[in-house]
Amino acid sequence: MTTQPTVVLVHSPLVSPLTWAPVAEALTSAGWPVNRPALTDVVTDEGPYYGTLAATVAEAISGPSVIVGHSAAGALLPVIAAAATEPPRAVVFVDAVLPHPGQNWFDTAPDDLVQQLRGMARHGLLPTWDQWFPPGALLDLIPDPALHQRFVDELPEVPLAYFEETAPAVAPLPDHRCGYLLLSEPYQNEAAAARGFGWRVDTEPSDHLAMLTQPTRIAGALTRMLTALVGDVSADVSADVP
């Protein structure tokens, strides 16, 4: 008999757990067990970061799970899977960066963005994520004033050291247990690369923060993805992980 896995929703370290809150409610209503660990305190503390962030999520995992990461959390997912006591049944990247073991965040970002961010840093801290964009840009994605304000209020100031830390090399994720859910145009290259790996790739045209504003739609897309990836998985999947 297969046990329903817990959906572990991992937010980008650049934002807060709020990004997944509406989807978590929708998935819970649909019958999925859900866990939504918070990483904000970890990423604003002193490093090293990858191991501590992964351990924080792994501690929240008990029993069968699927791990879902958004945006910058994509780089953490293999490290989280390696830290988990029980290998996850599936790993899903949602509009997310892909793993980059042996490189840091700045190594994978466009040169103009790297220069912009280094120029914005003060006393070893980058300004909150909303300040990376032109004024009003996030209002287009989160038009509700109260939700927008709450989102901005919870954004952390992330140390420059986080972006400079090299992602550790861990066992690669099994391709047939990975999926990519593309929401927005800027992540098309990542989705194409995921398709080249042999991962399942689904597209739900919306925007990068649609989890906040269209949670039922995104929960539905995730449900279809997860059902496809874990619907025929037996309780013992340890052989899938090298």
Side-chain angles (χ1 to χ4, degrees):
M1 180 177 179
T2 303
T3 304
Q4 181 89 343
T6 296
V7 182
V8 182
L9 298 171
V10 185
H11 68 88
S12 165
L14 309 185
V15 294
S16 81
L18 174 64
T19 51
W20 278 124
V23 170
E25 292 182 8
L27 288 173
T28 299
S29 296
W32 290 92
V34 176
N35 199 316
R36 189 168 51 95
L39 303 179
T40 308
D41 289 344
V42 177
V43 80
T44 54
D45 204 349
E46 295 183 358
Y49 298 99
Y50 277 85
T52 307
L53 289 165
T56 299
V57 178
E59 289 171 3
I61 300 174
S62 177
S65 68
V66 293
I67 303 174
V68 180
H70 173 246
S71 197
L76 301 174
L77 299 190
V79 192
I80 293 169
T85 303
E86 182 175 334
R89 294 187 176 182
V91 178
V92 178
F93 295 71
V94 179
D95 238 29
V97 301
L98 296 175
H100 47 78
Q103 294 181 298
N104 64 38
W105 191 93
F106 282 141
D107 290 334
T108 66
D111 289 341
D112 56 346
L113 178 59
V114 173
Q115 294 175 12
Q116 172 195 343
L117 295 181
R118 287 193 180 278
M120 295 170 69
R122 296 292 182 271
H123 308 293
L125 295 175
L126 281 177
T128 54
W129 187 65
D130 61 310
Q131 297 181 50
W132 296 18
F133 309 100
L138 288 188
L139 273 172
D140 292 337
L141 300 182
I142 313 173
D144 178 81
L147 182 60
H148 176 269
Q149 190 60 52
R150 183 182 172 194
F151 177 81
V152 170
D153 288 345
E154 294 186 9
L155 294 175
E157 290 187 328
V158 180
L160 200 62
Y162 166 77
F163 300 89
E164 297 172 333
E165 184 175 314
T166 299
V170 295
L173 297 168
D175 291 336
H176 66 294
R177 295 286 184 241
C178 289
Y180 197 100
L181 178 58
L182 176 65
L183 305 181
S184 65
E185 184 177 352
Y187 287 85
Q188 286 184 342
N189 288 343
E190 285 80 359
R195 190 176 288 109
F197 299 153
W199 297 3
R200 178 187 174 92
V201 176
D202 291 349
T203 301
E204 191 67 29
S206 49
D207 63 70
H208 192 56
L209 297 178
M211 307 95 67
L212 277 170
T213 58
Q214 304 174 61
T216 302
R217 179 180 176 187
I218 302 306
L222 274 177
T223 295
R224 291 189 291 274
M225 170 77 74
L226 295 175
T227 300
L229 290 174
V230 308
D232 60 352
V233 178
S234 65
D236 181 9
V237 297
S238 58
D240 292 328
V241 179

